[in-house]
Amino acid sequence: KKRVKGIWFEDEYKRIYPYNSLACNVIGFTSSDGSVGTGGIEQYYNSSLIGVNGREYGYLDQDSNLEGVVKPASNGNTVVSTIDVNIQNIVQKYIDEWQTNVGSKVTAAIVMNPNNGEILAMGTSNKFDLNNPRDVSGYTEQELFDLGKKEAAAVYRRENDGAVITEDQVPEHFSREDVISYGQQVAWNQIWRNFCVSDTYEPGSTFKPFTIAAGLETGILTGDETYYCGGVLHVGDHDIHCSNRDGHGTQTLKQALENSCNVALMEIGEALGAEEFCRYQELFGFGEYTGIDLPGEGETSGLLYTPENMDAASLATNAFGQNFNVTMTQLAASFCSLINGGNYYEPHVVKQIQDENGNVTENIDPVLVKKTISEETSEVIKDYMLGVVQEGTGSSAAVEGYDIGGKTGTAEKLPRGNGKYLVSFIGYAPQENPEVVVYVVVDEPNVAAQASSSYATELASGIMSEIFPYLGITKSSETADTQTN
């Protein structure tokens, strides 16, 4: 103790995440000293959250007196998100149950308020503990080694001026530990990645309501049309099949959406023409950034056709949601405009910024970006999508007591014929004046026959059955009673 000259205490700040992995992809995390945000809100709003360090410095004046100057520190702000922790818990519970019982490459869901663009929940099967974000214990050493080989080969090519080496080869001067280290970095990027915002994919039949809406808006559709589906349509040099290869027979426009008929949609696409189809695709926001306040939004502009390079077969497949890419956030935001009367709101996950004392310094107000369709078209599309759940392919999404509209999707992944599919469902409630949208995507379900949207509809039904009562969504019986009275 004679060697002890003094004892003092220093304050140290550490960010704690009380919900651990809940909404991890939305929240993001910080460096150990809290100065740099990685992913999510932490990264996007880093400048608001971080504050400013204080400084103390001095100098000698002309009389050699020491003059000191102190610039006090300013604490960071508080960011209030739109995420509802109860809805987020429900969404994550159903995703986790699905992954445990069946599983998929990725399963993800978004819950959104269609009337202001607020994201109420956003969850994926890629989870990590925000308090320990670099934990890769879910990977075996061999898995990390296999992940690292590709990156090690890329590093070797860069260091050796494009030397020829395959991704399966390990450069001689790389130790196993070096490769595993690269594998850890790849694993981090995998688990930190927010599928809902960053990944692109072909939407499949969830896009069909947009094609029909474009037809109604341009006047090429009146709602009185009928179509004959024999299971296949010859377009250009291709035979393009319907989801029902035996054919749906004669259908009204409403039935074409309810039964998700590719043939009818291809004929609608042809009637629209490439110019109008691409114009409405752009109007709905596809191929553009949504402007969501999260980093890493997926780029899709190069994954869409233009009128100049869209041939007849491409127009036909685009009309039913194949052969171009979207993000989940893109499709959810656009879908909201289909059901709210045509108002496209910018999606966002933060609604308020407060100072350290809880005083509101900024409200993040809803941003109405544009008008996509008329209220009249919106009402027709809602009527058709109510039929999808009550009479058509979305029947397993139904929740007793509620009028739910929506659309299923089954997208065949590239290369065609490989048996891999991304299935989805996007729905809303109540039918009159919708208050909530739920979008579920299951990418490559772990089943022998992946091409069934029922995996997504059943998952969505479970989520909706719990969040509707919580949000106080009006039941169909209550609506009927009100109208009677």
Side-chain angles (χ1 to χ4, degrees):
K1 63 183 181 182
K2 291 181 179 179
R3 295 196 300 271
V4 176
K5 302 299 182 185
I7 298 173
W8 67 94
F9 295 93
E10 291 183 355
D11 285 333
E12 186 178 88
Y13 296 92
K14 181 180 180 182
R15 183 90 83 206
I16 299 295
Y17 300 93
Y19 293 106
N20 299 314
S21 64
L22 190 68
C24 55
N25 303 113
V26 178
I27 297 170
F29 58 93
T30 66
S31 55
S32 57
D33 63 355
S35 63
V36 180
T38 299
I41 291 171
E42 290 280 21
Q43 181 175 333
Y44 193 92
Y45 287 94
N46 187 70
S47 59
S48 294
L49 289 162
I50 192 174
V52 179
N53 291 329
R55 290 184 61 195
E56 181 178 359
Y57 57 92
Y59 61 92
L60 295 176
D61 65 15
Q62 60 185 3
D63 298 321
S64 297
N65 296 316
L66 180 63
E67 297 288 340
V69 178
V70 175
K71 287 192 173 183
S74 60
N75 291 331
N77 293 320
T78 293
V79 168
V80 181
S81 82
T82 61
I83 300 296
D84 184 306
V85 69
N86 294 313
I87 298 176
Q88 184 73 36
N89 263 314
I90 291 167
V91 166
Q92 199 62 56
K93 180 184 76 170
Y94 280 95
I95 289 175
D96 292 347
E97 287 178 357
W98 163 262
Q99 288 300 109
T100 300
N101 297 330
V102 182
S104 65
K105 182 179 179 181
V106 178
T107 298
I110 292 176
V111 180
M112 192 169 178
N113 183 335
N115 302 308
N116 59 15
E118 288 187 357
I119 304 291
L120 305 179
M122 180 181 280
T124 78
S125 51
N126 289 335
K127 294 192 308 178
F128 60 94
D129 187 346
L130 290 167
N131 295 300
N132 189 17
R134 289 177 172 78
D135 176 22
V136 291
S137 58
Y139 294 80
T140 65
E141 183 179 297
Q142 185 59 45
E143 286 173 335
L144 292 174
F145 181 78
D146 292 339
L147 287 174
K149 284 194 293 187
K150 179 179 179 180
E151 184 62 25
V155 170
Y156 181 80
R157 284 193 290 269
R158 287 196 298 270
E159 292 177 347
N160 294 274
D161 196 24
V164 177
I165 183 171
T166 67
E167 293 174 358
D168 292 329
Q169 292 178 283
V170 178
E172 291 183 0
H173 69 282
F174 281 71
S175 68
R176 183 175 179 83
E177 289 71 26
D178 290 334
V179 176
I180 289 173
S181 177
Y182 284 122
Q184 288 177 334
Q185 296 174 39
V186 175
W188 292 335
N189 289 330
Q190 287 181 348
I191 62 176
W192 297 342
R193 188 178 181 88
N194 187 347
F195 179 91
C196 300
V197 173
S198 300
D199 285 61
T200 69
Y201 55 90
E202 296 180 56
S205 298
T206 51
F207 186 77
K208 288 175 180 174
F210 296 95
T211 301
I212 293 175
L216 292 168
E217 282 291 294
T218 56
I220 68 132
L221 296 178
T222 64
D224 297 325
E225 291 78 13
T226 58
Y227 301 89
Y228 180 79
C229 171
V232 65
L233 191 67
H234 188 78
V235 183
D237 296 326
H238 305 274
D239 285 332
I240 304 176
H241 291 273
C242 187
S243 55
N244 181 349
R245 294 207 168 203
D246 294 328
H248 291 107
T250 301
Q251 303 177 104
T252 64
L253 179 61
K254 184 173 186 286
Q255 289 171 331
L257 189 65
E258 291 175 350
N259 298 321
S260 204
C261 178
N262 290 351
V263 169
L265 267 294
M266 286 189 277
E267 292 182 3
I268 294 169
E270 182 182 14
L272 267 172
E275 192 79 38
E276 285 294 88
F277 180 85
C278 291
R279 184 171 74 85
Y280 269 90
Q281 210 174 29
E282 181 180 350
L283 179 63
F284 284 123
F286 298 107
E288 301 176 349
Y289 290 118
T290 65
I292 189 170
D293 48 350
L294 289 173
E297 186 172 6
E299 164 65 52
T300 60
S301 62
L303 303 172
L304 268 66
Y305 285 89
T306 65
E308 292 72 31
N309 64 14
M310 178 177 273
D311 59 18
S314 299
L315 175 58
T317 53
N318 270 229
F320 62 78
Q322 293 269 190
N323 216 16
F324 71 96
N325 280 37
V326 302
T327 67
M328 279 192 75
T329 308
Q330 241 180 18
L331 195 134
S334 302
F335 185 86
C336 287
S337 77
L338 281 184
I339 63 167
N340 69 10
N343 299 312
Y344 184 101
Y345 287 97
E346 187 175 85
H348 59 283
V349 297
V350 166
K351 59 183 176 182
Q352 201 174 79
I353 296 177
Q354 302 173 352
D355 65 20
E356 59 182 303
N357 298 315
N359 301 311
V360 177
T361 60
E362 182 182 357
N363 283 310
I364 312 297
D365 296 321
V367 177
L368 178 57
V369 179
K370 55 188 169 183
K371 190 81 171 175
T372 57
I373 58 175
S374 66
E375 291 188 11
E376 292 76 13
T377 295
S378 178
E379 288 299 319
V380 173
I381 293 297
K382 282 166 53 187
D383 178 54
Y384 290 3
M385 289 197 290
L386 179 65
V388 169
V389 178
Q390 293 185 341
E391 307 288 342
T393 59
S395 59
S396 58
V399 177
E400 186 177 357
Y402 294 93
D403 283 335
I404 300 170
K407 186 65 192 79
T408 54
T410 304
E412 186 179 15
K413 298 183 72 172
L414 293 171
R416 309 297 186 206
N418 65 2
K420 294 183 178 181
Y421 289 81
L422 180 145
V423 296
S424 59
F425 174 79
I426 187 162
Y428 63 90
Q431 177 67 7
E432 299 299 324
N433 302 315
E435 298 173 36
V436 63
V437 166
V438 176
Y439 185 24
V440 172
V441 166
V442 181
D443 187 11
E444 297 184 23
N446 295 338
V447 294
Q450 295 183 2
S452 174
S453 59
S454 63
Y455 304 123
T457 54
E458 291 167 10
L459 183 53
S461 178
I463 292 170
M464 292 187 294
S465 69
E466 290 198 37
I467 69 170
F468 286 174
Y470 169 73
L471 289 171
I473 302 299
T474 304
K475 287 191 172 184
S476 53
S477 57
E478 294 170 1
T479 304
D481 290 342
T482 302
Q483 292 171 346
T484 301
N485 294 334

